[in-house]
């Protein structure tokens, strides 16, 4: 069921989103060669707890981390580990969220570790830019497929694969709510948007094929061809004439 949030409910979500934004900014400052993804996980956990909130990924369906830390060909759901040590030239996607007073936030960024290749930077930039291309089509009365199609067209026209197996989602009192928000689709199709809807829009874009596989840990999703993947996500509020990005 799709829910429409009141102004008071949006204010509660906005507070959770501010914490997630702050945690991502702190993590970015601590990404460097030699740091482990488990250390980054602890940074996020400690920051969120210090704000009186909870990391909503921790123990969600059994997930063991406060963040998803996905390195290089890992698309999403990478498990933080003491054994995963970042090195110069890696890229890492951090996906995370916060729950505060029963209201959720969700956001993701992909960062370079030290000096990265031009190809990796282009992938990260395109993934981020595709999000902003997509939300140009978000407003009251619009069809969700317009946003999805814009993301797909922007990325595929630049030679990238748009992941099909994983999509964005509604968000509010649950981390995952209706509707599903694909990063691919057809203009004029899909759910009709309404002011007060809150969505997590999250392009997951691969350097090569759109196809993915799941590792034996039953969590980590990787590209089927071993090429790089990037992820960019924000929680947004649909408004009468556009949208507000709550995690930026």
């Amino acid at each position: 069921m799709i829910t429409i949030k009141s102004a008071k409910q949006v204010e509660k979500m906005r507070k959770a989103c501010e914490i997630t934004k702050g945690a991502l900014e702190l993590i970015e400052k601590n990404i460097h060669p030699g740091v482990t993804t488990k250390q980054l996980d602890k940074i996020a956990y400690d920051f969120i707890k210090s704000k009186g909130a909870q990391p909503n990924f921790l123990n969600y369906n059994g997930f063991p981390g406060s963040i998803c830390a996905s390195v290089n060909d890992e698309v999403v759901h990478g498990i933080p580990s003491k054994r995963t040590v970042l090195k110069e030239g890696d890229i890492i996607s951090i996906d995370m969220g916060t729950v505060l007073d029963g209201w959720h936030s969700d956001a993701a960024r992909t960062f370079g570790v030290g000096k990265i290749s031009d190809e990796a930077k282009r992938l990260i930039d395109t993934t981020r830019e595709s999000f902003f291309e997509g939300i140009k089509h978000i407003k009251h009365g619009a069809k969700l497929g317009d946003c999805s199609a814009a993301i797909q067209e922007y990325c595929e026209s630049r030679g990238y694969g748009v992941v099909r197996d994983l999509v964005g989602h509604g968000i509010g009192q649950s981390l995952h709510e209706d509707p599903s928000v694909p990063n691919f689709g057809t203009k004029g199709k899909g759910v009709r948007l309404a002011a007060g809807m809150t969505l997590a829009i999250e392009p997951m874009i691969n350097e090569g094929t759109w196809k993915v596989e799941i590792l034996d840990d039953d969590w980590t999703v990787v590209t089927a061809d071993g090429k790089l993947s990037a992820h960019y996500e924000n929680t947004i509020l649909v408004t009468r004439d556009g949208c507000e990005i709550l995690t930026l």
Side-chain angles (χ1 to χ4, degrees), residues 23-35:
L24 282 167
E25 290 172 347
L26 183 59
I27 288 172
E28 181 178 16
K29 293 176 182 177
N30 284 275
I31 289 176
H32 55 78
V35 73

Side-chain angles (χ1 to χ4, degrees), residues 60 89 94 102 106 109 126 134 148 204 215 230 247:
Y60 184 78
I94 304 293
D106 192 3
R109 306 282 186 267
T126 299
S148 300
M204 290 160 275
L215 298 184
T247 47

Side-chain angles (χ1 to χ4, degrees), residues 7 12-13 28 45 47 91 110 120 142 149 160 164 209 234 238:
K12 291 181 178 181
M13 285 190 69
E28 181 178 16
Y45 178 85
F47 180 85
I91 66 171
T110 301
Y160 295 115
R164 305 291 202 276
T209 179
N234 283 301
V238 180

